[in-house]
């Protein structure tokens, strides 16, 4: 067994994380956890390399611990002992736990030891359409190993009934290997048939040497022909297998998966013919692949769209969806056919009851209308918006629509989208459209409904504050309403949707999961906490999340292992975002921690940058991960590009051998860089400096220049430095990444200032934005 860090060394490193006792006293973990302690003691034994003791304790735990800890013990036993021990443990796990995770774990171990028959038996009832691909793969590979006749049909059904995955591609080699075996059988049958033909020719020449001179008759042929031993059926069956239409269909799917559309488009007619010969309807996944292949492989979009129109008439309603959908996209690519495009998208929407299909089609229709008519968008949202199934799927569309409406000065339409379309918005989009609509009414850009303008803006901002909207729009709404009462601020920050409220002190939904997390903490296993919390996060209380986050933070401080800080923040952030109801202040604090406090405070003071702004920047840039590297090549806590870091190192006289990932060096360079950007913006504007930090100072200067010019045409009062109010300027920026970056940093800065500097959110927002 692969050994992990010896337990005694582990204790020295993590003694500050969890005190571990070795004697059973009144306060010992063993006494506190009772029978559940056997699992954690087994983990300790495994760390020491005492496999026999670990195995013994896991077996006791499997019998006596709570259900989840007993399950973890059963899983651990599949990796310990002799081959027979592991097989027995895997069999026990599969037979005693009905969830797919347990079945996958068991079958993987059984497969490692060649127990294919047991895997087949255990998986006989699984669904090829719905079960985990990893589990189906293990079943099919076991069928292949046993040369089970069910392999071919199940493998093909799995390949055509769902989107392709890595498991599909990985197992295809096994299918080909079995096919090669069959091809050898084909060769053998062909050779045998050829020998029989030769034998017949020789016999005919002996019986009738002058047969060429005789008139031919069917009776002569029947008399002189020789039937091969076993008849012709084996040959005909072998030749039929050689054609293998299933292989043709599967290889078509694989080619589409790899986007080899130039190859697949020539295969489409053949695929349709195969299904026709089989007397079957084309599978939905194949129709989707045919649509993709045509969309990206053809050059004649209009003719192809017409073909899909014809196909739609031949298919049942639920499959006609694909024909309508791809006809619409082909008409769109053909250009000059907006009426047909919209018509086919609408036909597709009316042809499906599948939620993901409906949302996907509506998303494409709405994005098409972004290029044609905002009036049509409003009409479509009015008709179909309430049927949106996954509101978050449409966040990017509503973000694009927001930019379009604001940049084209369609302010009344913006208000109309929020107020009259009856769209099923996500919490984020609902808060965004409510806040911006309130601002547009406040600025006199949108009319709103009848009544006092002030009342309508207050209602819009209050809706934001009482919703599950993002922190950014909440703190901005507080600024507009000038909320200064601390109790009211706490209420807005720490209360989300009141329905289904969860008490922070309430019991965990799963006491077993809570006990398991507490055991990892008490017995000193921080490396297991995050993954276990994540696996059971929906069954754990807010307090469990706070405890786990706090524990990991202490471990990071004791061990100097920053990965625990990152895990601590991830737990707090996920729990904060997913919680409905009352939120404890401690969870808010854990969501905005002051990691690297001495380093950040020192750098902020040195370069005269507000400390809360530096914390917000580091949290937004790297999530306090000192080793973070972006795809663009930005590095460290403040995510500096190498060229920028080199420039900062020169200015700070750090030399050429600086370590960009060293927290103190990285934060110091980031703080100096931000400070220099602030000094180079109009009126030393911190928000413009943050945009420049993300998108570059040249871009920001160009945006400011363009917005000043654009705003001047409206006849409205000009705001400095960008010509329009800074919150509307943010919402109109052309870079989505910069817009989101601004929101994250402003919200985080407001929280850090509020939590640690006792500054009201409205004050921080006003200071940064205005």
């Amino acid at each position: 067994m692969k050994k992990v860090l010896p337990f005694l060394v582990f204790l020295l490193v993590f003694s500050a994380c969890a005190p571990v006792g070795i004697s059973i006293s009144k306060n010992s973990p063993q006494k506190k956890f009772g029978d559940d302690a056997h699992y954690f003691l087994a983990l300790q034994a495994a760390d020491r390399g005492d496999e026999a003791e670990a195995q013994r304790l896991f077996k006791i735990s499997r019998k006596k611990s709570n259900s989840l800890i007993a399950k973890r013990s059963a899983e651990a036993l599949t990796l310990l002992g002799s081959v027979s021990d592991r097989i027995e443990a895997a069999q026990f796990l599969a037979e005693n736990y009905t969830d797919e995770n347990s079945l996958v774990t068991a079958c993987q171990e059984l497969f490692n030891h060649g127990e294919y028959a047991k895997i087949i038996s255990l998986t006989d009832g699984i669904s090829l359409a719905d079960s985990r691909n990893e589990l189906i793969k293990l079943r099919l590979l076991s069928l292949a190993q046993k040369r089970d006749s069910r392999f071919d049909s199940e493998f093909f059904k799995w390949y055509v009934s769902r989107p392709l995955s890595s498991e599909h591609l990985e197992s295809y080699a096994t299918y080909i290997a079995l096919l090669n075996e069959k091809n050898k059988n084909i060769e053998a049958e062909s050779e045998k048939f050829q020998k029989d033909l030769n034998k017949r020719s020789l016999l005919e020449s002996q019986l009738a040497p002058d047969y060429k001179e005789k008139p031919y008759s069917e009776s002569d042929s029947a008399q002189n022909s020789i039937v091969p031993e076993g008849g012709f059926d084996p040959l005909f069956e072998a030749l039929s297998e050689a054609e293998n239409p299933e292989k043709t269909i599967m290889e078509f799917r694989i080619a589409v998966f790899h986007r080899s559309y130039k190859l697949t488009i020539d295969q489409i007619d053949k695929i349709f013919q195969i299904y026709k010969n089989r007397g079957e309807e084309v599978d939905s996944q194949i129709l989707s692949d045919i649509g993709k292949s045509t969309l990206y492989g053809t050059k004649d979009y209009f003719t192809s769209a017409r073909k899909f129109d014809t196909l739609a008439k031949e298919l049942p309603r639920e499959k006609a969806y694909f024909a309508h959908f791809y006809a619409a996209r082909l008409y769109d690519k053909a250009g000059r056919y907006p009426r047909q495009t919209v018509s086919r998208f609408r036909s597709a929407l009316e042809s499906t009851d599948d939620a993901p299909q409906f949302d996907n089609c509506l998303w494409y229709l709405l994005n098409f209308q972004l290029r044609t008519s905002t009036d049509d968008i409003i009409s479509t949202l009015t008709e179909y918006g309430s049927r949106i199934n996954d509101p978050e799927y449409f966040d990017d569309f509503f973000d694009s629509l927001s930019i379009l409406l604001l940049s084209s000065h369609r302010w009344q339409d913006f208000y109309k989208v929020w107020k009259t379309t009856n769209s099923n918005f996500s919490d984020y989009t609902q808060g965004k459209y409510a806040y911006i609509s309130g601002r547009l009414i406040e600025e006199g850009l949108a009319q709103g409904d009848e009544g006092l303008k002030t009342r309508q803006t207050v209602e819009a901002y209050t809706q934001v504050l009482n919703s599950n909207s993002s922190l950014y729009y909440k703190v901005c709404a507080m600024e507009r309403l000038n909320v200064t009462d601390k109790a009211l601020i706490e209420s807005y920050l720490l209360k989300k949707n009141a329905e289904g409220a969860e008490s922070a002190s309430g019991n965990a939904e799963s006491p077993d999961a809570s006990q398991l997390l507490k055991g990892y903490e008490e017995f000193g296993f921080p490396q297991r906490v995050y993954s276990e919390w994540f696996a059971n996060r929906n069954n754990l209380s807010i307090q469990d999340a706070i405890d786990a986050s706090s524990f990991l933070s202490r471990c990071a401080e004791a061990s100097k292992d920053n990965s625990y800080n990152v895990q601590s923040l991830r737990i707090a952030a996920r729990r904060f975002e997913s919680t409905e109801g009352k939120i404890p202040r401690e969870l808010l604090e854990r969501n905005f921690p002051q990691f690297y406090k001495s380093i950040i405070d020192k750098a902020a003071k040195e370069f005269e940058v507000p400390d809360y702004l530096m914390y917000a920047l580091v949290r937004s840039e790297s999530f306090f991960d000192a080793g973070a590297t972006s795809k663009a090549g930005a590095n460290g806590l403040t995510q500096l590009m190498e060229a920028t870091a080199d420039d900062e190192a020169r200015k700070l006289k750090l030399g050429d051998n600086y370590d960009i990932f060293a927290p103190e060096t990285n934060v110091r360079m980031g703080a100096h860089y931000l400070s220099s950007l602030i000094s180079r913006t109009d009126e030393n504007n911190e928000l413009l400096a943050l945009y420049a930090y993300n998108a570059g100072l040249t871009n920001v200067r160009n945006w400011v220049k363009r917005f000043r010019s654009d705003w001047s045409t409206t006849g409205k009062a000009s705001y400095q430095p960008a010509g329009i109010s800074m919150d509307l300027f943010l919402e109109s920026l052309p870079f989505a990444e910069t817009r989101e970056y601004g929101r994250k940093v402003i919200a985080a800065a407001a929280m850090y200032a509020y939590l640690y500097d006792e500054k009201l959110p409205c004050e921080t927002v006003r200071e940064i934005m205005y």
Side-chain angles (χ1 to χ4, degrees):
M1 180 186 118
K2 182 178 180 181
K3 296 179 176 62
V4 294
L5 188 67
F7 182 58
L8 292 178
V9 177
F10 183 88
L11 277 180
L12 292 174
V13 175
F14 294 108
S15 58
C17 304
V20 181
I22 57 174
S23 62
I24 301 178
S25 64
K26 182 171 66 174
N27 297 319
S28 71
Q30 292 95 315
K31 181 80 171 180
K32 181 178 179 180
F33 283 82
D35 287 333
D36 292 338
H38 290 102
Y39 170 70
F40 305 106
L41 295 172
L43 291 176
Q44 292 179 358
D47 274 359
R48 295 194 304 270
D50 191 346
E51 187 171 320
E53 178 66 2
Q55 200 172 358
R56 183 185 73 82
L57 290 168
F58 278 135
K59 286 183 177 180
I60 295 174
S61 176
R62 189 172 68 177
K63 292 180 181 179
K64 296 186 176 182
S65 295
N66 75 43
S67 60
L68 181 57
I69 294 177
K71 179 182 172 183
R72 291 290 180 264
S73 298
E75 292 169 347
L77 284 167
T78 65
L79 304 175
L80 297 174
S82 64
V83 171
S84 60
D85 289 337
R86 296 183 181 202
I87 292 173
E88 180 276 328
Q91 189 85 19
F92 179 93
L93 181 65
E95 292 175 352
N96 287 272
Y97 297 94
T98 57
D99 62 290
E100 275 199 331
N101 286 336
S102 295
L103 191 54
V104 169
T105 300
C107 288
Q108 184 62 66
E109 190 60 30
L110 290 171
F111 190 86
N112 291 340
H113 300 295
E115 295 293 324
Y116 309 121
K118 290 183 178 179
I119 294 173
I120 293 170
S121 176
L122 289 170
T123 58
D124 270 341
I126 68 172
S127 167
L128 295 174
D130 301 317
S131 296
R132 281 175 55 180
N133 282 317
E134 186 178 1
L135 182 60
I136 297 172
K137 174 186 171 183
L138 290 169
R139 171 178 173 79
L140 291 171
L141 293 180
S142 297
L143 289 172
Q145 288 289 339
K146 300 298 289 184
R147 300 301 188 268
D148 191 298
S149 60
R150 291 172 288 180
F151 173 81
D152 284 347
S153 61
E154 290 192 12
F155 191 84
F156 179 70
K157 182 178 180 181
W158 179 48
Y159 244 80
V160 299
S161 64
R162 56 199 300 174
L164 289 191
S165 65
S166 58
E167 286 83 8
H168 285 89
L169 302 178
E170 290 164 2
S171 58
Y172 194 68
T174 300
Y175 172 80
I176 294 299
L178 289 181
L179 186 61
N180 288 337
E181 286 186 12
K182 294 178 181 179
N183 288 338
K184 289 180 181 179
N185 178 54
I186 294 169
E187 293 176 6
E189 290 295 335
S190 298
E191 289 177 6
K192 183 178 179 183
F193 182 68
Q194 187 61 49
K195 288 179 181 178
D196 286 335
L197 285 177
N198 294 339
K199 181 179 178 182
R200 182 180 64 179
S201 297
L202 178 61
L203 184 58
E204 286 178 343
S205 66
Q206 291 173 344
L207 294 175
D210 58 341
Y211 71 97
K212 290 183 180 179
E213 300 177 5
K214 294 184 178 180
Y216 172 81
S217 70
E218 289 187 5
S219 60
D220 288 339
S221 176
Q223 263 187 344
N224 296 331
S225 65
I226 297 176
V227 176
E229 183 179 349
F232 290 99
D233 288 345
L235 176 64
F236 293 153
E237 183 178 345
L239 292 175
S240 175
E241 289 178 347
E243 296 175 2
N244 205 332
E246 290 84 2
K247 178 174 179 287
T248 300
I249 293 172
M250 288 187 284
E251 290 186 342
F252 173 80
R253 292 218 69 198
I254 293 172
V256 173
F257 179 85
H258 289 295
R259 301 181 181 181
S260 300
Y261 303 120
K262 291 183 179 179
L263 297 177
T264 57
I265 192 165
D266 293 332
Q267 296 291 312
I268 292 175
D269 289 341
K270 186 175 183 180
I271 297 298
F272 277 122
Q273 189 61 48
I274 288 173
Y275 275 96
K276 184 177 180 180
N277 294 342
R278 293 162 67 96
E280 299 174 358
E281 289 183 358
V282 182
D283 291 280
S284 295
Q285 289 294 330
I286 306 301
L287 287 171
S288 179
D289 285 350
I290 288 171
K292 292 176 187 175
S293 182
T294 305
L295 183 66
Y296 300 113
T298 189
K299 293 182 179 179
D300 189 349
Y301 302 117
F302 178 77
T303 300
S304 296
R306 295 290 299 272
K307 287 182 179 178
F308 275 95
D309 283 341
T310 301
L311 179 63
K313 299 174 183 177
E314 302 169 357
L315 294 170
R317 173 181 174 269
E318 66 277 5
K319 290 185 177 180
Y321 165 85
F322 297 99
H324 291 310
F325 176 74
Y326 282 104
R329 296 191 63 188
L330 286 161
Y331 279 123
D332 180 19
K333 291 193 75 170
R336 304 191 308 277
Y337 301 101
R339 182 178 59 80
Q340 290 90 335
T341 300
V342 172
S343 170
R344 297 335 181 253
F345 274 134
R346 286 179 173 271
S347 294
L349 290 171
E350 300 302 330
S351 297
T352 184
D353 299 317
D354 182 85
Q357 287 179 359
F358 180 90
D359 284 356
N360 187 49
C361 183
L362 181 58
W363 185 91
Y364 271 101
L365 171 57
L366 290 169
N367 276 277
F368 168 76
Q369 291 175 330
L370 277 175
R371 294 177 272 124
T372 57
S373 168
T374 53
D375 291 334
D376 290 343
I377 289 174
I378 293 173
S379 175
T380 298
L381 287 172
T382 302
E383 183 175 359
Y384 293 110
S386 62
R387 292 174 57 187
I388 289 174
N389 299 281
D390 180 5
E392 292 182 1
Y393 188 81
F394 291 84
D395 280 346
D396 62 342
F397 160 74
F398 283 112
D399 191 48
S400 298
L401 178 61
S402 171
I403 290 292
L404 174 65
L405 295 176
L406 293 176
S407 62
S408 59
H409 299 177
R410 300 286 295 269
W411 300 307
Q412 192 63 34
D413 284 342
F414 193 103
Y415 175 83
K416 189 183 293 186
V417 169
W418 170 57
K419 208 64 172 169
T420 66
T421 60
N422 195 31
S423 294
N424 187 10
F425 296 120
S426 69
D427 292 334
Y428 170 79
T429 296
Q430 175 68 25
K432 173 180 179 174
Y433 271 70
Y435 174 77
I436 297 175
S437 292
R439 288 290 290 119
L440 293 174
I441 296 172
E442 186 180 2
E443 293 284 347
L445 302 173
Q447 295 300 314
D449 299 325
E450 293 183 5
L452 293 174
K453 179 176 72 174
T454 302
R455 178 182 60 78
Q456 293 185 61
T457 57
V458 169
E459 286 178 353
Y461 301 145
T462 303
Q463 179 177 328
V464 175
L465 292 172
N466 287 324
S467 72
N468 291 343
S469 181
S470 70
L471 275 175
Y472 168 74
Y473 291 110
K474 284 195 172 187
V475 296
C476 285
M478 286 185 201
E479 190 277 327
R480 299 318 300 171
L481 294 174
N482 196 32
V483 179
T484 58
D485 182 81
K486 290 188 177 181
L488 197 56
I489 292 171
E490 292 273 315
S491 173
Y492 289 142
L493 291 179
L494 302 179
K495 186 179 72 173
K496 296 170 102 174
N497 188 343
E499 295 181 9
E502 178 185 1
S503 170
S505 59
N507 293 328
E509 296 181 30
S510 171
D512 291 352
S514 180
Q515 179 84 334
L516 180 55
L517 274 186
K518 288 181 172 64
Y520 287 142
E521 297 171 18
E522 291 274 356
F523 287 85
F525 290 97
Q527 71 273 29
R528 293 176 176 266
V529 170
Y530 177 74
S531 59
E532 193 68 61
W533 179 86
F534 186 81
N536 294 288
R537 63 192 182 281
N538 295 327
N539 298 319
L540 290 165
S541 69
I542 294 177
Q543 192 60 49
D544 287 324
I546 293 172
D547 291 343
S549 177
S550 301
F551 169 70
L552 290 172
S553 179
R554 294 196 303 273
C555 288
E557 185 177 354
S559 67
K560 308 304 180 186
D561 184 347
N562 184 59
S563 65
Y564 291 122
N565 271 338
V566 178
Q567 292 174 6
S568 168
L569 181 51
R570 284 176 180 167
I571 289 175
R574 284 180 179 273
R575 197 64 175 96
F576 185 84
E577 290 299 323
S578 64
T579 297
E580 293 185 353
K582 187 176 181 181
I583 298 171
R585 181 187 173 94
E586 188 177 359
L587 182 60
L588 187 65
E589 292 171 352
R590 297 246 50 89
N591 194 24
F592 295 96
Q594 288 187 310
F595 298 146
Y596 300 103
K597 178 172 172 54
S598 61
I599 292 174
I600 293 176
D601 287 352
K602 181 180 178 181
K605 183 177 181 180
E606 180 181 3
F607 299 112
E608 298 181 343
V609 176
D611 57 354
Y612 54 80
L613 195 60
M614 278 305 301
Y615 282 110
L617 182 143
V618 171
R619 186 188 186 279
S620 302
E621 288 284 356
S622 66
F623 226 54
F624 290 98
D625 183 357
T629 298
S630 74
K631 292 180 180 178
N635 300 302
L637 289 169
T638 61
Q639 288 290 279
L640 294 171
M641 301 295 289
E642 287 188 9
T644 303
D646 286 343
D647 191 43
E648 289 301 316
R650 179 182 55 79
K651 292 176 180 178
L652 296 172
K653 299 180 181 180
L654 299 178
D656 296 331
N657 297 321
Y658 68 90
D659 181 0
I660 196 173
F661 292 103
E664 186 169 2
T665 301
N666 188 282
V667 170
R668 190 162 178 258
M669 290 193 298
H672 181 265
Y673 181 50
L674 178 61
S675 176
S676 68
L677 289 173
I678 292 173
S679 67
R680 295 161 67 188
T681 60
D682 291 347
E683 301 182 8
N684 293 331
N685 188 279
E686 292 177 351
L687 186 55
L688 291 181
L690 288 170
Y691 296 154
Y693 195 100
N694 177 263
L697 186 58
T698 300
N699 279 326
V700 172
R701 285 173 172 168
N702 289 336
W703 295 338
V704 168
K705 182 179 180 181
R706 177 162 62 85
F707 275 88
R708 281 176 180 168
S709 174
D710 180 59
W711 191 254
S712 67
T713 64
T714 66
K716 301 294 181 180
S718 178
Y719 292 84
Q720 295 299 327
I724 65 174
S725 62
M726 292 302 288
D727 54 351
L728 293 180
F729 177 68
L730 183 156
E731 298 296 345
S732 305
L733 293 177
F735 288 5
E737 179 185 336
T738 305
R739 294 195 300 272
E740 185 55 28
Y741 180 78
R743 296 181 191 116
K744 287 196 299 185
V745 176
I746 291 170
M751 291 302 96
Y752 276 108
Y754 175 70
L755 291 170
Y756 303 106
D757 296 339
E758 297 186 358
K759 183 183 287 248
L760 299 178
C762 64
E763 294 175 336
T764 304
V765 171
R766 205 167 290 140
E767 180 179 295
I768 295 174
M769 194 171 286
Y770 301 106

